[in-house]
Amino acid sequence: MVKKKFIKVAIDSPAAAGAGTLAKSISKHYNLLYLDTGKIYRIIALTKIKQKNKLDISFLKKKIKNLNLKSLQNKELLSDEVGTEASLVAKNKNIRKLVHSFQINCAYNPPKKFNGSCLDGRDITYKIVPDADFKFFVTASLKVRAKRRFKELKNLSNKSSYSKVLKSIKKRDKNDYNRRISPLKKTKDSMLINTSNLSKRACFLKIKKIIDKKINS
Ligand code: C5P
């Protein structure tokens, strides 16, 4: 039997660029454990909103340690309010430290049934999985991202307006690109994938071609 090679895929991207959809389809195709790392910051943000701004670090520590991947599917995490709060809590050095070991463990020690891992976020290519076999920076124009997020929120029956969504994505970009700790950036060794004018299928095929070429060589 041919032993499948263990592969690690790292993706960084600004908000609503389509990285999550892409990462999910890649993970499914290559049987990789998928982790949307933004959801962990969103869980912390939601906890903060519910606790009315009092964040207890030792409570969070326990929460992250016992985190179940299923809890990342909670629909409450998808709101714009939680996303914006997540980009604020993600500036905190202690909070980032808290979630790093969970993310690193998913990337390097996925359950045996998987052939590797695929993580997406803001600091994955240079902080969490710096030795990833494949690194991508997935982006799209601001307007395209705002349109996509607006559509997503509408489907969730969230009553946000397009201009509100555009404003909140701009704010998030500002927070994510300019923060001092682990800012969003494209590393030199990441391949740029601009999804503005590409269908989901076209994006997937573009990445698949790159991965297949390397694993079959
Ligand atoms: O990807 P998503 O929009 O769910 O991320 C929410 C926020 O979490 C981002 O705006 C970013 O500030 C933060 N984040 C981060 N590092 C990651 C993933 C997300 O700082 N690896």
Side-chain angles (χ1 to χ4, degrees):
M1 196 174 86
V2 185
K3 194 173 181 306
K4 286 235 172 88
K5 194 179 174 285
F6 184 92
I7 63 167
K8 299 186 294 301
V9 180
I11 302 175
D12 282 323
S13 78
T21 309
L22 201 47
K24 266 185 229 159
S25 56
I26 294 165
S27 303
K28 193 169 172 209
H29 184 79
Y30 293 99
N31 186 32
L32 309 175
L33 172 73
Y34 168 55
L35 180 67
D36 171 356
T37 61
K39 285 275 177 65
I40 307 171
Y41 293 99
R42 283 174 181 259
I43 284 190
I44 296 172
L46 184 63
T47 309
K48 189 173 175 203
I49 293 168
K50 285 190 171 165
Q51 287 186 350
K52 307 232 181 317
N53 292 335
K54 275 181 267 143
L55 261 188
D56 176 352
I57 290 284
S58 58
F59 169 78
L60 278 184
K61 225 181 200 166
K62 261 192 226 147
K63 197 173 170 94
I64 302 298
K65 209 174 160 197
N66 300 316
L67 201 64
N68 176 324
L69 288 180
K70 270 207 178 125
S71 59
L72 302 182
Q73 288 167 12
N74 176 359
K75 288 236 168 15
E76 274 185 292
L77 299 174
L78 300 175
S79 77
D80 225 27
E81 185 197 1
V82 174
T84 303
E85 187 59 50
S87 76
L88 297 176
V89 299
K91 286 181 179 179
N92 183 308
K93 196 168 89 189
N94 294 330
I95 287 182
R96 298 201 76 85
K97 263 196 205 152
L98 212 72
V99 305
H100 279 179
S101 53
F102 179 83
Q103 298 176 359
I104 288 169
N105 194 38
C106 286
Y108 292 87
N109 302 303
K112 290 245 169 350
K113 64 177 179 177
F114 292 108
N115 300 327
S117 60
C118 175
L119 273 67
D120 71 2
R122 305 293 188 278
D123 57 350
I124 308 304
T125 55
Y126 66 94
K127 185 100 190 189
I128 307 298
V129 201
D131 65 343
D133 305 279
F134 300 96
K135 295 186 181 183
F136 299 101
F137 187 84
V138 175
T139 191
S141 73
L142 180 67
K143 278 190 179 161
V144 167
R145 291 189 285 130
K147 269 189 202 156
R148 286 183 188 153
R149 179 51 51 89
F150 176 57
K151 207 172 149 194
E152 246 172 54
L153 291 172
K154 228 168 121 184
N155 288 341
L156 283 167
S157 62
N158 192 306
K159 290 186 187 68
S160 206
S161 67
Y162 171 76
S163 62
K164 243 183 164 176
V165 173
L166 182 72
K167 208 171 143 195
S168 108
I169 289 195
K170 266 191 197 163
K171 189 174 170 191
R172 264 213 291 146
D173 279 0
K174 198 171 160 217
N175 284 341
D176 291 349
Y177 278 112
N178 300 311
R179 68 182 177 217
R180 207 167 43 82
I181 303 158
S182 299
L184 171 63
K185 60 183 176 192
K186 181 196 166 299
T187 59
K188 278 190 186 147
D189 57 356
S190 294
M191 195 160 286
L192 180 72
I193 307 283
N194 189 327
T195 69
S196 302
N197 299 309
L198 291 179
S199 67
K200 288 176 190 168
R201 179 81 186 147
C203 291
F204 166 72
L205 290 176
K206 197 168 176 167
I207 290 197
K208 182 180 173 294
K209 198 171 165 190
I210 295 164
I211 297 182
D212 284 349
K213 193 173 169 195
K214 192 168 167 184
I215 57 179
N216 295 326
S217 65

